[in-house]
C-alpha cells in the first residue's frame, strides 16, 4: 500500500508531499456524471458496491495518495431518525429546525445499525480494493448543529450563534447528542477498517475564539479523546474552514 498519507499525518517523512482532495469524486469525472444521472448522493451511499466504486474512481483516475469515503456530512442523520433533504443548488434542508430543549430531547440517540451500509462500503474498500489508505470522516457538532438550527445553509449563522450565546443549556444538550453521535459514527468507521479519520468543521469560522472555547471545544475534546482511546493506532485530522 502507498502509505505516504499515513506517514505524513503521523509526523514521519514520506519522501513526497501526499495529495488528496476533499471532494475527489465529482463532476470532473465522466463516469461519476453518468452515475449521478441515475442516483442521488444518498442513494449511492446506501449501495455499498456502488459507493465503493465511486470512492475508488478518483484514486484510479488521478493517482492520489488517499481515498476519502464518498458520503455527506449529513449521512449519519439517518441513524438519529432526522429527515434531511439535499436540495440541488442549496444543500441540506430540514423542515423542522431545532430551536428549543423539547426539539433536542426529541432527537433519537444515534443507532449505527441504521447506517450499516457505510461500514459495509468501508470493508469492501479496505479488503483489497484500494492500494491507498481510506479516510473516514464525520461532520463536527457545530457544523451539523448549524444546519439543524438554521433549517439549511446560511451565510450569517445568527440563529446558531444565538442559541450558543443566549440558550447555553439548549446548546450544550444539542452538542452533547451530536458529540455522542460523532464518537459512535467514527468508531463504526474505524471498526469497519478505515485507515484514518477526519473531522470536518466547515462553518466553525463563524464563531470567535471565546465562543469556541466556551461552547464547542469541550465537545470536540471529548470526541477526539474518546475515539483515540478506543483506536490509539488510528491517525486523526481536523479541518476547520476560516479559523
Amino acid at each position: 500500500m502507498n502509505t505516504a498519507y499515513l506517514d505524513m499525518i503521523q509526523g514521519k517523512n514520506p519522501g513526497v508531499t501526499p495529495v488528496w482532495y476533499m471532494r475527489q469524486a465529482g463532476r470532473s469525472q465522466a463516469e461519476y456524471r453518468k452515475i449521478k444521472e441515475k442516483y442521488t448522493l444518498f442513494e449511492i451511499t446506501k449501495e455499498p458496491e456502488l459507493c465503493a466504486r465511486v470512492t475508488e474512481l478518483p484514486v484510479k483516475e488521478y493517482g492520489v495518495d488517499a481515498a476519502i469515503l464518498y458520503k455527506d456530512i449529513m449521512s449519519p442523520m439517518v441513524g438519529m431518525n432526522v429527515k434531511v433533504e439535499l436540495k440541488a443548488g442549496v444543500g441540506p434542508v430540514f423542515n423542522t429546525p431545532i430551536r428549543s430543549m423539547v426539539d433536542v430531547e426529541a432527537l433519537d440517540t444515534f443507532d449505527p445499525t441504521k447506517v450499516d451500509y457505510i461500514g459495509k462500503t468501508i470493508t469492501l474498500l479496505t479488503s483489497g480494493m484500494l492500494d491507498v489508505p481510506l479516510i473516514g470522516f464525520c461532520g463536527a457538532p457545530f457544523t451539523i448543529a448549524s444546519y439543524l438550527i438554521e433549517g439549511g445553509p446560511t451565510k450569517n449563522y445568527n440563529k446558531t450563534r444565538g442559541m450558543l450565546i443566549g440558550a447555553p443549556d439548549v446548546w450544550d444538550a444539542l452538542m452533547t447528542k451530536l458529540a455522542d453521535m460523532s464518537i459512535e459514527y467514527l468508531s463504526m468507521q474505524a471498526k469497519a477498517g478505515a485507515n484514518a479519520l477526519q473531522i470536518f468543521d466547515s462553518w466553525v469560522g463563524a464563531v470567535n475564539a471565546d465562543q469556541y472555547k466556551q461552547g464547542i471545544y469541550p465537545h470536540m475534546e471529548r470526541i477526539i479523546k474518546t475515539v483515540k482511546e478506543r483506536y490509539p493506532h488510528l491517525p486523526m485530522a481536523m479541518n476547520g474552514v476560516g479559523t
Side-chain angles (χ1 to χ4, degrees):
M1 176 189 284
N2 171 353
T3 63
Y5 175 82
L6 296 179
D7 291 342
M8 176 275 298
I9 198 174
Q10 294 177 93
K12 302 174 185 177
N13 183 358
V16 296
T17 301
V19 174
W20 70 277
Y21 303 96
M22 285 190 284
R23 296 186 179 184
Q24 292 186 158
R27 290 184 291 271
S28 61
Q29 299 170 301
E31 187 171 350
Y32 174 82
R33 293 198 302 272
K34 288 181 181 178
I35 292 171
K36 281 300 296 289
E37 288 175 1
K38 297 181 180 179
Y39 304 94
T40 66
L41 187 153
F42 282 159
E43 287 172 342
I44 292 172
T45 61
K46 291 179 181 179
E47 298 289 338
E49 291 187 0
L50 180 59
C51 189
R53 177 181 157 201
V54 171
T55 300
E56 182 193 29
L57 275 177
V59 178
K60 295 171 68 175
E61 186 168 344
Y62 302 141
V64 290
D65 296 297
I68 184 157
L69 187 62
Y70 180 82
K71 57 188 175 73
D72 189 79
I73 61 171
M74 292 298 162
S75 295
M77 291 294 97
V78 173
M80 298 180 75
N81 283 330
V82 175
K83 294 182 179 179
V84 55
E85 179 184 357
L86 286 180
K87 285 192 175 182
V90 178
V93 175
F94 297 88
N95 292 326
T96 54
I98 291 175
R99 302 285 167 76
S100 68
M101 186 66 81
V102 173
D103 297 331
V104 175
E105 291 171 347
L107 287 173
D108 287 355
T109 299
F110 177 70
D111 180 357
T113 65
K114 292 184 178 179
V115 289
D116 62 346
Y117 44 83
I118 292 175
K120 292 176 181 176
T121 302
I122 292 171
T123 300
L124 277 174
L125 287 162
T126 57
S127 298
M129 190 172 182
L130 292 173
D131 60 358
V132 297
L134 174 68
I135 305 169
F137 72 90
C138 75
F142 176 84
T143 291
I144 301 293
S146 73
Y147 286 108
L148 293 175
I149 295 166
E150 305 283 345
T154 178
K155 292 184 178 180
N156 53 46
Y157 302 92
N158 287 340
K159 294 183 178 68
T160 305
R161 288 181 295 165
M163 182 183 290
L164 189 161
I165 298 166
D169 55 334
V170 179
W171 174 262
D172 190 65
L174 176 57
M175 291 293 280
T176 296
K177 279 201 171 184
L178 293 177
D180 289 343
M181 179 273 290
S182 299
I183 289 168
E184 298 309 319
Y185 187 45
L186 289 172
S187 295
M188 180 200 77
Q189 294 177 66
K191 186 177 180 180
N195 304 113
L197 299 172
Q198 183 153 352
I199 302 174
F200 287 95
D201 216 349
S202 305
W203 312 131
V204 75
V207 301
N208 63 37
D210 288 339
Q211 292 164 351
Y212 186 87
K213 290 175 185 176
Q214 171 191 333
I216 302 169
Y217 178 78
H219 301 283
M220 295 299 297
E221 183 182 40
R222 182 166 70 90
I223 293 168
I224 295 167
K225 182 178 179 180
T226 304
V227 174
K228 288 183 78 69
E229 285 176 349
R230 290 182 182 181
Y231 301 94
H233 67 288
L234 213 59
M236 295 181 69
M238 171 73 190
N239 176 265
V241 177
T243 185

